[in-house]
Amino acid sequence: MFIYGIDKLTVDKVLEIASGKEKGGLTDYAIAKVNECRSKVEVMANSNKAVYGINTGFGPLCDVKISPEETSLLQKNLLITHAVGVGNPIDKDLSKIMLICKAHALSRGFSGIRLEVIERIIYFIENDLLPVVPEQGSVGASGDLAPLSHLFLPLFGEGEFWIGNDIIPAKEVLKAHKLEPIELAAKEGLALINGTQFILAHAIKGLKKMEYLLDLADVAGAMSLEGYQGSASPFKELLHSIRPFKGNLEVAGRMRMLFENSNNIKSHENCERVQDPYSMRCIPQVHGASRNAYYHLSELAEIEMNSVTDNPIVLSETEAISGGNFHGQPLAMALDYASIAASELGNIADRRCYLLLEGKFGLPRLLTASGGLNSGFMIPQYTTAALVTENKSLCFPPSADSVPTSLGQEDHVSMGSISGRKFNQILGNIEKILAIELMYAAQAMEFRRPNTFSVILEQNFKIIRSKVAKLEEDRILKDDINALIQLVKNQAFIVK
């Protein structure tokens, strides 16, 4: 069992808990930490000293003292007034990831929340009670206020849950599970809605998808190069050892593996061509740079998912620091960097598609042996071009912007929620672009037969042909493209 507040979360661990492969819970030690911190909040809540969010108002109202009798209503009102998200609901899996990350952060013992609130969140996770959270409305500081408010309204019977594909009022769902609404106490509203879990959930989901797409981009690039009969010499180990970026070295090694025992590569080793275009020979440099960005975001996301990001942070019975751990800038900037990196995987893939259409080095123009009457693969590259440009437009970095909120109290915000959403949009487009490149590459490889390729490329060629036949005469390609996109989404291709 994963122990919230004690064990270390990783991307894979979060997704294992979300899928039900691993259970998360609390131990006596974790419970003791939560209860100890809660007792400190109780002392502060009943003292005459003003402590932000515990016995004062919020934001620009931090100078308004709140009596102990009004504390519960203050915390409830906080969630109700901040639940102003708009747009479509986020995917259910994102809601669950947010719950998991929040349960872990609250269980660290610095947030001052009661044990029963954390246990209710864990109950939601274990029973797939996933709150409905709108996708828009967070500026990424004081964390993800609006989405987290929607996430936790159901604790006291407000908001909505997903039940299957239906949206059901939280009151009905709590009643069906024989759960009483929780009455929030001092500090708890702030602990729940201050934090970066919306940004973080998008980073976690995107990182898992990007990990596979980085590997698949290498496979697609290798298949395109084989179809093009390009050179394998730009992937030699010595060449990359004298410019040893981690991502570059890894991609170059993967390319050597993908060409291992290729009869096709050997068949043209002594040809007169001097060098290939950059989209072929610079695969390690371009794909490798994208991997470096992935590693950077992965490192920061792991730090964030094991951090305490609410406010104030309770340190003792007399000290609760009103700091800025909720600020989303560390993830926002890295997400924007990763978005550019992901977009470049599509950019270079589109160029390889174009090269395969030119009719050079033994390939027929437009990858069809009967051009003229048939347009062959002319038009799918229009789609990759459109998707590449759409991704470029999504690469504007939201973290470069800031709009003051809360009467200037929150005068610099990260906009990281937008960074996270755009990151996943870009990755969705990359799935489509790589699907089209794989279709092109398989067609090009047909014209190199009877030459054979490495075991892994032959396996992927068969996977493609299981859904998409060789193009002999023009046909509607929409179904072919969608079939390959689904294979990519299902991570059906062999990448290692």
Side-chain angles (χ1 to χ4, degrees):
M1 183 176 74
F2 178 85
I3 310 303
Y4 289 114
I6 305 297
D7 291 340
K8 183 178 180 181
L9 274 183
T10 63
V11 169
D12 287 339
K13 187 65 67 176
V14 171
L15 297 176
E16 285 171 6
I17 297 170
S19 67
K21 293 178 181 177
E22 182 161 355
K23 186 176 181 180
L26 298 169
T27 59
D28 290 343
Y29 177 59
I31 290 170
K33 288 176 65 179
V34 170
N35 288 336
E36 181 184 356
C37 188
R38 180 63 204 173
S39 67
K40 297 171 185 176
V41 169
E42 298 287 356
V43 172
M44 285 185 280
N46 292 288
S47 73
N48 293 322
K49 181 182 177 182
V51 183
Y52 175 73
I54 295 177
N55 56 16
T56 74
F58 309 111
L61 301 176
C62 60
D63 56 353
V64 178
K65 193 79 183 293
I66 304 297
S67 69
E69 296 76 26
E70 298 170 312
T71 295
S72 180
L73 181 58
L74 172 72
Q75 300 301 316
K76 181 178 179 179
N77 284 346
L78 178 65
L79 269 71
I80 288 172
T81 58
H82 284 62
V84 293
V86 296
N88 296 322
I90 61 173
D91 291 344
K92 287 178 278 188
D93 60 342
L94 285 169
S95 290
K96 196 167 191 180
I97 292 170
M98 288 174 70
L99 289 172
I100 292 165
C101 291
K102 194 68 178 181
H104 187 53
L106 294 175
S107 300
R108 291 287 306 279
F110 293 94
S111 301
I113 200 162
R114 286 173 299 161
L115 176 62
E116 67 178 280
V117 181
I118 298 175
E119 289 177 334
R120 180 63 60 85
I121 295 170
I122 294 172
Y123 183 91
F124 287 174
I125 295 166
E126 291 179 348
N127 291 276
D128 274 331
L129 297 184
L130 306 178
V132 177
V133 178
E135 65 183 352
Q136 295 170 302
S138 171
V139 296
S142 299
D144 297 307
L145 295 173
L148 285 168
S149 294
H150 286 279
L151 190 74
F152 292 119
L153 284 176
L155 287 172
F156 52 85
E158 298 294 337
E160 300 158 321
F161 283 110
W162 287 105
I163 302 299
N165 292 320
D166 297 323
I167 294 175
I168 307 296
K171 287 180 182 177
E172 296 180 21
V173 177
L174 293 184
K175 186 176 180 180
H177 282 256
K178 298 180 180 180
L179 298 172
E180 290 294 324
I182 287 178
E183 188 172 308
L184 297 179
K187 174 68 167 68
E188 291 183 330
L190 266 184
L192 290 167
I193 75 169
N194 267 216
T196 60
Q197 283 76 31
F198 182 88
I199 301 171
L200 180 57
H202 283 80
I204 290 169
K205 183 174 182 178
L207 279 166
K208 192 61 181 177
K209 185 175 289 188
M210 188 176 182
E211 179 183 27
Y212 179 76
L213 292 178
L214 283 164
D215 286 343
L216 185 62
D218 296 341
V219 170
M223 292 180 74
S224 289
L225 189 139
E226 285 280 30
Y228 193 69
Q229 284 200 331
S231 173
S233 62
F235 312 115
K236 288 185 177 179
E237 186 173 6
L238 179 58
L239 176 67
H240 294 278
S241 69
I242 58 176
R243 196 193 188 201
F245 290 110
K246 180 180 178 180
N248 302 34
L249 289 169
E250 186 172 346
V251 174
R254 283 180 50 76
M255 298 304 286
R256 293 193 297 272
M257 177 270 292
L258 292 167
F259 296 134
E260 191 173 353
N261 298 322
S262 168
N263 167 259
N264 188 60
I265 288 283
K266 292 178 181 177
S267 72
H268 60 90
E269 282 182 344
N270 298 314
C271 69
E272 296 180 356
R273 289 160 59 186
V274 176
Q275 60 182 22
D276 296 322
Y278 290 178
S279 63
M280 295 289 183
R281 64 180 159 118
C282 296
I283 287 174
Q285 289 78 9
V286 178
H287 291 194
S290 294
R291 280 184 184 268
N292 292 333
Y294 161 82
Y295 292 135
H296 181 60
L297 177 59
S298 183
E299 177 188 357
L300 298 188
E302 191 165 301
I303 292 171
E304 189 79 335
M305 69 184 80
N306 292 287
S307 298
V308 182
T309 58
D310 64 277
N311 182 69
I313 302 298
V314 179
L315 300 180
S316 70
E317 293 180 354
T318 59
E319 188 176 22
I321 299 294
S322 188
N325 278 12
F326 51 69
H327 204 294
Q329 196 79 352
L331 282 189
M333 293 180 70
L335 280 162
D336 289 338
Y337 174 28
S339 293
I340 295 168
S343 180
E344 278 303 292
L345 293 177
N347 204 353
I348 194 170
D350 167 72
R351 293 299 81 212
R352 291 192 294 262
C353 289
Y354 189 90
L355 287 177
L356 295 177
L357 297 177
E358 287 185 320
K360 293 181 177 179
F361 313 122
L363 291 178
R365 282 194 302 173
L366 306 177
L367 291 173
T368 178
S370 53
L373 178 61
N374 293 289
S375 295
F377 281 107
M378 179 194 301
I379 304 302
Q381 191 263 327
Y382 285 42
T383 302
T384 61
L387 291 168
V388 162
T389 296
E390 183 174 310
N391 277 352
K392 290 174 185 175
S393 72
L394 290 169
C395 280
F396 173 82
S399 64
D401 191 21
S402 177
V403 178
T405 58
S406 193
L407 299 183
Q409 183 76 6
E410 298 166 12
D411 59 348
H412 183 280
V413 296
S414 75
M415 301 298 181
S417 67
I418 306 168
S419 302
R421 287 172 50 228
K422 287 170 62 169
F423 176 48
N424 281 274
Q425 284 179 267
I426 288 168
L427 290 169
N429 286 338
I430 296 302
E431 290 176 329
K432 299 166 187 172
I433 294 168
L434 292 180
I436 292 173
E437 182 182 8
L438 288 164
M439 181 176 68
Y440 274 36
Q443 182 79 358
M445 289 165 70
E446 295 276 13
F447 293 103
R448 304 305 181 186
R449 296 299 189 190
N451 289 348
T452 58
F453 310 94
S454 69
V455 171
I456 188 170
L457 293 192
E458 291 283 7
Q459 288 173 324
N460 283 299
F461 179 85
K462 288 178 182 177
I463 291 171
I464 294 168
R465 284 290 171 259
S466 71
K467 299 292 184 181
V468 175
K470 179 183 178 182
L471 186 69
E472 302 283 4
E473 295 179 347
D474 282 353
R475 63 174 184 259
I476 295 175
L477 293 173
K478 171 179 168 290
D479 292 341
D480 293 349
I481 293 170
N482 285 336
L484 291 178
I485 291 171
Q486 200 56 50
L487 287 175
V488 174
K489 287 181 176 293
N490 293 340
Q491 301 191 357
F493 289 101
I494 300 165
V495 296
K496 292 182 179 177

